[in-house]
Amino acid sequence: MEFKPYDPKAIEPKWQKRWADSHVFEAKNDYTMPKFYGLIEFPYPSGQGLHVGHPRSNTAMDIIARKRRMEGCNVLFPIGWDAFGLPTENYAIKNKVHPAIVTKKNIDHFREQLQKIGFSFDYSREVNTTDPSYYRWTQWIFLQLFKHGLAYKSEMPINWCPSCKCGLANEEVVGGVCERCGTQVIRKVKKQWMLKITAYAQKLLDGLDTVDFIDKVKVQQRNWIGRSVGAEVDFALTVPGEKVRVFTTRPDTLFGATYMVLSPEHPLIDKLKDQITNYDACMAYRAEAAKKSDFERAELAKDKTGLQIEGVRAVNPVNGKEIPIWLSDYVLMTYGTGAIMAVPAHDTRDWEFAHKFGIPMIEVVAGGNIEEAAYTDIQDGVMVNSGFLDGMKVAQAKEAIIEYLEKNGLGEKKVNYKLRDWVFSRQRYWGEPIPIVHCDKCGMVAVPEDQLPVTLPMVDNYEPTDSGESPLSVMHDWVNTTCPCCGGPAKRETDTMPQWAGSSWYFLRYTDPHNANALADMDKLKYWMPVDWYNGGMEHVTRHMIYSRFWHHFLYDLGVVNTPEPYAKRSIQGLILGPDGDKMSKSKGNVVDPLDIVEEYGADTLRTYVLFMGDYGAATPWSENSVKGCKKFLDRVAGLTDILSEESVSDELEMKLHRTIKKVSSDIENLKFNTAIASLMTLINEITAEGHLSKDDLTIFIKLLSPFAPHICEEIWEFIGGEGLLAV
Ligand code: ANZ
Ligand code: ZN
């Protein structure tokens, strides 16, 4: 019998069907087996279908999942759909179809595409964030947060996208513009649902010491949480009985504070309206500042603006000196106390500001040249002009001044975090309804848990309203309800949750996707959790990864899950760039469609190529030539069947074969897929040169290759009379 010519189009659908029919990739309910839970970021089923990033991240985890199965593990490698969100809603509005219909169509398309690439997902556990039986539990988690005071409504300045007519979290504002549509984001005061993620700042930091995340992920999360240790200090004002509190990381420089800066939104300005003699100018400055996002104010504002408050001055608590108070938008109301003591000799921003406005400087740490620049060193400098601190090093002076402030009731040590509470409401239709009812008598009332889910009404019109209210607000039949508390007339909350909600716990649902009584059964969670290995992109480190860790810590505190951290290990794949080395984008016309590659060369070639193309963690340009090279390699693998003989390879080659087993195995564990494939390529050259190999040799070879190119390997396995499937 002869091996048919290698034709991916013929063999790939055949094996995909056999895998599906035999349910080989479904996780088993045998809790005595060692388990492995491998996770990829579940896709957003966009109308465009898969892009090349999906195969790169999915194939890597697919290889690990297939390897673990061969090693005897009970593997959970699930897939699902992160399906709420703006692009679907916008498409639905434009084309006048319901988002639920668009979503279903997109999911079917995505599933079909994924199946064509031969991923070993357990499709029996699919979750879909827009399914009421799923979002029932998203709403349930929200209610627990609400009941524990971690979900609250607050009038607050938020990032507002005038084009999406929607509030955005800080994480969704990139370079001052809306991440989705690129419109300049403005600040707007609105009542928003907030989640108190800040209450978990320290736990989120400490948890990082207990997990195996690639370093750059830990660093980025630590910076995002931004712990900073300093002091709060009270400055009296020249208005009797009034004072202002500042937050500083450098209380040691207190003697060098030559002015104070308030954020333009600081409430003190309103309070001292009668004492401030240029109040109107202050209000005008505030109005200007409101047009800028925090990002612009903090990061971009190179040329500082400011306005001195007239009629009121502050008093430095350590030396009784009066100093002027300024307004400037580089001080944010959303950090610390919204007020700072400015030390131009030792802080670069203050130095620039003082320079521009001719404010004096006092050197309090000797060692630099403050004529030229702020001296910010904290290692070598020695305190001067600072009374009882003189002669100390910075670290020592810090402790001494904090002790002094605390003793004299002027302030205290304080830890701050950059992390902000999470703006959790969206004024859009296609999201989870927030399960709260507003009653005139009872206030905000949680929808009783046995009434969940609060489902989205099926309506024809869900366009955003011009008032900035959610489209749900005009659906009166849905909005008007009865109060669960007093039975009187009440109104439903009309804001919906952000897309980050459904993805904050989806990995829990995979362990028990059809459970109607709990988000997941504790015994199943105990077996499967934590996720052993989560692979994904760098773009999710400060949003999805922090949000989901926060929810998980909270659920752990509630006793609903069994570990504080959801993910034991996190790795990252590099971006695939266009053939020109630029980021792939439609406008540049350099986008490669992975399904075109499957069509032309086969899924095994695509899979092999996206891992062979370069260092897995690095951005790598697409190369059609190298795709062809991978196809040729697989042609040669198929050709091994032509040189099968009774005779094994030489002893020397036998040793190489065994060395390759070790190398491929350890390379996979270290995500060095490119060198694993390269060593298989070298091996095949040597086998071909020798001219023959035995069935046992070939078996070893295809077992090694099968996680990368599973279809061709199954075909060969069948050809040589292997029993059952190679995939287990
Ligand atoms: C005086 C001082 C002297 C400062 C010095 C620094 C250097 P972190 O926490 O590391 O970001 N600051 C405080 N609140 C602020 C706000 N709401 N908006 C803008 N800036 C603010 O840095 C905290 C430092 O940033 C604080 O310490 C304060 O300036 C400023 F030689 O106080 B410092
Ligand atoms: Zn009521």
Side-chain angles (χ1 to χ4, degrees):
M1 195 171 67
E2 238 178 67
F3 191 76
K4 293 174 267 354
Y6 172 40
D7 176 11
K9 271 206 186 114
I11 69 170
E12 291 183 352
K14 164 181 155 189
W15 291 105
Q16 285 157 16
K17 183 161 187 315
R18 289 220 193 150
W19 292 327
D21 291 347
S22 60
H23 308 276
V24 266
F25 301 135
E26 289 173 19
K28 299 175 189 62
N29 291 324
D30 177 355
Y31 302 148
T32 62
M33 289 173 77
K35 66 101 181 181
F36 177 77
Y37 185 175
L39 186 68
I40 51 129
E41 287 156 351
F42 65 162
Y44 173 69
S46 75
Q48 281 89 49
L50 294 185
H51 59 74
V52 283
H54 292 117
R56 199 178 202 200
S57 109
N58 298 3
T59 308
M61 193 46 73
D62 191 45
I63 283 170
I64 292 155
R66 286 172 179 272
K67 178 168 185 279
R68 289 287 184 279
R69 287 191 201 96
M70 291 166 104
E71 290 163 351
C73 285
N74 185 10
V75 169
L76 175 55
F77 183 42
I79 183 76
W81 318 103
D82 186 14
F84 275 127
L86 270 187
T88 301
E89 183 167 349
N90 290 341
Y91 176 91
I93 290 171
K94 207 167 130 203
N95 296 285
K96 305 226 174 302
V97 247
H98 197 275
I101 295 169
V102 181
T103 298
K104 176 163 186 331
K105 208 179 104 219
N106 289 350
I107 286 177
D108 289 344
H109 184 220
F110 255 70
R111 188 189 301 106
E112 195 188 310
Q113 292 197 323
L114 290 172
Q115 281 168 339
K116 281 189 179 158
I117 305 178
F119 296 122
S120 64
F121 291 128
D122 179 349
Y123 290 97
S124 74
R125 291 175 183 248
E126 266 183 44
V127 301
N128 171 351
T129 55
T130 67
D131 185 334
S133 70
Y134 179 89
Y135 70 66
R136 168 185 178 180
W137 297 106
T138 312
Q139 291 175 333
W140 183 86
I141 297 171
F142 177 88
L143 285 184
Q144 311 313 310
L145 289 160
F146 178 70
K147 288 172 187 170
H148 287 79
L150 294 169
Y152 61 98
K153 228 174 175 182
S154 157
E155 183 91 24
M156 65 162 307
I158 56 151
N159 306 303
W160 179 260
C161 172
S163 160
C164 296
K165 294 175 183 163
C166 196
L168 304 174
N170 284 346
E171 296 88 316
E172 292 167 301
V173 182
V174 177
V177 303
C178 171
E179 180 192 49
R180 293 228 164 73
C181 73
T183 306
Q184 186 78 41
V185 168
I186 59 167
R187 295 160 57 75
K188 182 167 176 158
V189 175
K190 237 189 155 291
K191 262 217 154 151
Q192 295 283 343
W193 281 99
M194 307 289 296
L195 295 190
K196 214 177 202 163
I197 191 171
T198 51
Y200 278 77
Q202 194 58 48
K203 283 191 175 180
L204 290 171
L205 267 184
D206 294 342
L208 288 174
D209 297 331
T210 68
V211 291
D212 176 18
F213 291 2
I214 187 172
D215 259 351
K216 62 179 175 182
V217 169
K218 286 193 182 184
V219 168
Q220 200 169 312
Q221 290 211 342
R222 286 198 184 105
N223 290 342
W224 189 259
I225 297 166
R227 185 177 201 261
S228 117
V229 182
E232 286 189 353
V233 185
D234 286 326
F235 281 63
L237 298 180
T238 52
V239 178
E242 294 293 346
K243 58 184 180 181
V244 189
R245 182 159 264 233
V246 303
F247 170 67
T248 175
T249 43
R250 296 290 308 276
D252 52 293
T253 62
L254 191 48
F255 287 88
T258 55
Y259 63 102
M260 168 183 279
V261 185
L262 300 183
S263 160
E265 297 82 20
H266 202 289
L268 189 77
I269 307 165
D270 309 276
K271 196 171 174 200
L272 299 184
K273 184 175 180 189
D274 295 339
Q275 285 81 15
I276 296 175
T277 55
N278 61 341
Y279 181 79
D280 289 346
C282 293
M283 287 300 114
Y285 187 79
R286 178 183 281 180
E288 276 309 302
K291 292 181 190 159
K292 299 186 193 169
S293 67
D294 278 6
F295 177 82
E296 267 180 287
R297 288 168 51 161
E299 312 283 333
L300 297 179
K302 294 243 163 55
D303 190 25
K304 302 219 162 21
T305 62
L307 175 75
Q308 188 176 342
I309 295 184
E310 282 157 24
V312 181
R313 289 162 75 80
V315 181
N316 188 326
V318 279
N319 57 16
K321 272 191 202 157
E322 276 186 21
I323 55 174
I325 307 174
W326 286 71
L327 296 186
S328 178
D329 62 10
Y330 78 88
V331 175
L332 305 174
M333 198 57 221
T334 47
Y335 185 65
T337 62
I340 67 160
M341 63 178 214
V343 184
H346 304 289
D347 179 271
T348 303
R349 286 179 303 176
D350 298 345
W351 190 91
E352 284 165 7
F353 191 88
H355 227 72
K356 176 163 176 185
F357 293 104
I359 306 171
M361 307 188 188
I362 301 172
E363 181 181 61
V364 289
V365 184
N369 178 2
I370 63 161
E371 297 297 319
E372 272 171 18
Y375 181 59
T376 57
D377 175 84
I378 50 169
Q379 291 299 326
D380 305 321
V382 175
M383 305 306 298
V384 292
N385 301 323
S386 294
F388 66 99
L389 301 178
D390 281 354
M392 294 183 189
K393 290 266 187 93
V394 166
Q396 195 188 356
K398 246 186 208 175
E399 303 216 339
I401 189 79
I402 290 175
E403 198 187 313
Y404 173 88
L405 292 169
E406 287 182 346
K407 225 183 232 156
N408 293 282
L410 295 168
E412 66 240 351
K413 185 172 174 176
K414 170 84 186 174
V415 177
N416 263 328
Y417 300 89
K418 287 267 154 42
L419 188 68
R420 299 278 67 109
D421 277 347
W422 174 7
V423 181
F424 197 69
S425 37
R426 297 291 181 274
Q427 291 71 42
R428 300 298 299 223
Y429 171 79
W430 194 228
E432 301 87 345
I434 290 177
I436 295 286
V437 162
H438 299 270
C439 168
D440 282 343
K441 270 195 238 145
C442 313
M444 290 195 286
V445 182
V447 171
E449 287 173 17
D450 61 9
Q451 288 176 27
L452 297 180
V454 176
T455 52
L456 279 171
M458 289 297 258
V459 290
D460 293 332
N461 189 9
Y462 31 80
E463 300 204 15
T465 62
D466 288 324
S467 64
E469 290 308 307
S470 157
L472 289 171
S473 65
V474 294
M475 302 175 188
H476 302 288
D477 289 349
W478 184 83
V479 170
N480 292 314
T481 183
T482 49
C483 170
C485 196
C486 70
K491 286 190 187 310
R492 290 191 188 282
E493 170 63 51
T494 60
D495 282 357
T496 53
M497 300 186 197
Q499 202 185 344
W500 310 110
S503 57
S504 290
W505 72 281
Y506 73 110
F507 45 89
L508 297 175
R509 191 67 176 170
Y510 284 141
T511 67
D512 194 10
H514 311 296
N515 194 325
N517 306 312
L519 59 81
D521 177 79
M522 188 47 122
D523 285 337
K524 293 182 178 164
L525 289 169
K526 276 188 181 151
Y527 177 69
W528 288 114
M529 290 296 291
V531 170
D532 294 285
W533 195 335
Y534 194 8
N535 184 54
M538 208 55 203
E539 67 276 17
H540 289 123
V541 171
T542 52
R543 294 179 284 187
H544 161 60
M545 287 283 289
I546 288 206
Y547 295 151
S548 56
R549 289 184 57 226
F550 159 46
W551 277 30
H552 202 267
H553 272 272
F554 169 68
L555 292 173
Y556 177 72
D557 288 346
L558 280 188
V560 173
V561 299
N562 58 310
T563 59
E565 287 290 335
Y567 320 120
K569 175 172 176 146
R570 169 74 180 193
S571 55
I572 295 288
Q573 79 268 350
L575 276 183
I576 297 184
L577 306 173
D580 51 2
D582 285 337
K583 209 173 159 173
M584 281 193 193
S585 83
K586 263 203 200 135
S587 60
K588 287 202 196 102
N590 61 354
V591 178
V592 175
D593 183 338
L595 272 297
D596 289 348
I597 305 300
V598 172
E599 186 62 23
E600 192 168 352
Y601 304 96
D604 283 339
T605 295
L606 173 71
R607 296 169 57 106
T608 306
Y609 172 65
V610 290
L611 297 182
F612 180 63
M613 67 190 303
D615 184 355
Y616 188 67
T620 314
W622 187 267
S623 153
E624 185 87 15
N625 262 337
S626 182
V627 174
K628 288 185 182 140
C630 288
K631 172 67 168 48
K632 274 210 191 98
F633 164 61
L634 296 179
D635 286 338
R636 299 182 70 192
V637 172
L640 288 177
T641 52
D642 295 339
I643 56 168
L644 267 180
S645 80
E646 297 295 314
E647 199 186 339
S648 302
V649 292
S650 66
D651 288 351
E652 196 192 332
L653 200 45
E654 183 83 35
M655 262 171 51
K656 279 194 184 148
L657 191 57
H658 285 279
R659 247 181 274 141
T660 309
I661 297 176
K662 273 210 184 118
K663 176 154 175 63
V664 170
S665 175
S666 74
D667 278 358
I668 289 177
E669 296 303 324
N670 296 310
L671 299 181
K672 290 185 177 161
F673 303 108
N674 53 340
T675 54
I677 295 167
S679 66
L680 288 167
M681 289 174 167
T682 311
L683 189 63
I684 206 169
N685 283 342
E686 299 186 9
I687 295 172
T688 316
E690 248 188 41
H692 61 87
L693 84 170
S694 71
K695 202 165 127 179
D696 287 348
D697 298 330
L698 183 55
T699 301
I700 293 177
F701 189 89
I702 59 174
K703 279 192 174 163
L704 276 181
L705 180 66
S706 67
F708 297 87
H711 310 84
I712 178 68
C713 293
E714 290 280 11
E715 186 72 17
I716 295 174
W717 179 241
E718 185 186 53
F719 175 75
I720 60 178
E723 239 177 79
L725 291 165
L726 205 50
V728 282

